[in-house]
Amino acid sequence: MNINVVADDVYRVHEQIHSNTHKPAKLKHRKAGEFREVPLPRSVKEAMERHHEGGLSPARSERVLHGADGTPACAEALQGPPAEDGVGTYGFRHYFAPNALGNGIPITDVAEWMGHKSIEETYRTYRHLMPDSIIKAARILDAGLWEAA
């Protein structure tokens, strides 16, 4: 389909949307020409393919999903609920990170995919959204102790 989809479930990111200007910008913490590879959900890939089949170029279909113009068009592209005022594509980051972390994806992977310079940034930003991690740890340890007995 396009050169940024490098596998069925991997997308290569070469730029990011600046949180203040909502315009494409170079990736933070990367040199010119470097990229990040991130998980590509099947539903997002299918939405990109639908846009491409509908006559949009691959670059334009990505812009729709990325919301490079700052509009919440990506919600429509994904056939999700309409975006509310003030909610834009940056909100997908805050959807992705706690869901990944809450489902056992290592914080090192999430930090890399998010483009954070260190896992400390990821931890500081998203730790409060994972309140059940200590409960999960206690249950895992408890189950292990019962199996050992």
Side-chain angles (χ1 to χ4, degrees):
M1 182 188 114
N2 70 59
I3 61 172
N4 290 328
V5 176
V6 295
D8 280 342
D9 54 0
V10 179
Y11 184 83
R12 188 168 285 166
V13 178
H14 294 277
E15 61 185 12
Q16 65 185 45
I17 302 304
H18 192 277
S19 58
N20 294 331
T21 65
H22 303 288
K23 302 285 185 207
K26 75 177 201 75
L27 292 175
K28 290 193 282 186
H29 318 300
R30 297 288 194 281
K31 295 177 184 169
E34 290 184 335
F35 55 84
R36 287 194 318 258
E37 290 186 342
V38 298
L40 177 62
R42 184 180 66 240
S43 57
V44 173
K45 183 179 180 208
E46 289 171 357
M48 290 169 67
E49 289 169 345
R50 279 193 307 275
H51 280 280
H52 182 61
E53 290 168 4
L56 291 176
S57 69
R60 176 64 183 138
S61 66
E62 291 174 27
R63 290 275 187 245
V64 170
L65 291 170
H66 286 191
D69 57 1
T71 66
C74 55
E76 294 173 38
L78 296 173
Q79 296 182 341
E84 296 182 24
D85 290 339
V87 176
T89 56
Y90 202 76
F92 282 124
R93 292 176 61 83
H94 297 297
Y95 170 80
F96 167 74
N99 277 284
L101 293 167
N103 283 289
I105 304 296
I107 194 169
T108 51
D109 292 342
V110 174
E112 180 181 332
W113 298 330
M114 298 288 289
H116 292 161
K117 191 172 187 175
S118 68
I119 64 169
E120 287 80 17
E121 182 178 352
T122 312
Y123 183 82
R124 261 193 333 271
T125 306
Y126 297 104
R127 173 63 182 103
H128 71 284
L129 298 173
M130 302 179 296
D132 63 341
S133 61
I134 197 164
I135 296 166
K136 286 181 185 178
R139 289 181 182 154
I140 290 167
L141 293 170
D142 194 36
L145 291 172
W146 279 102
E147 288 176 13

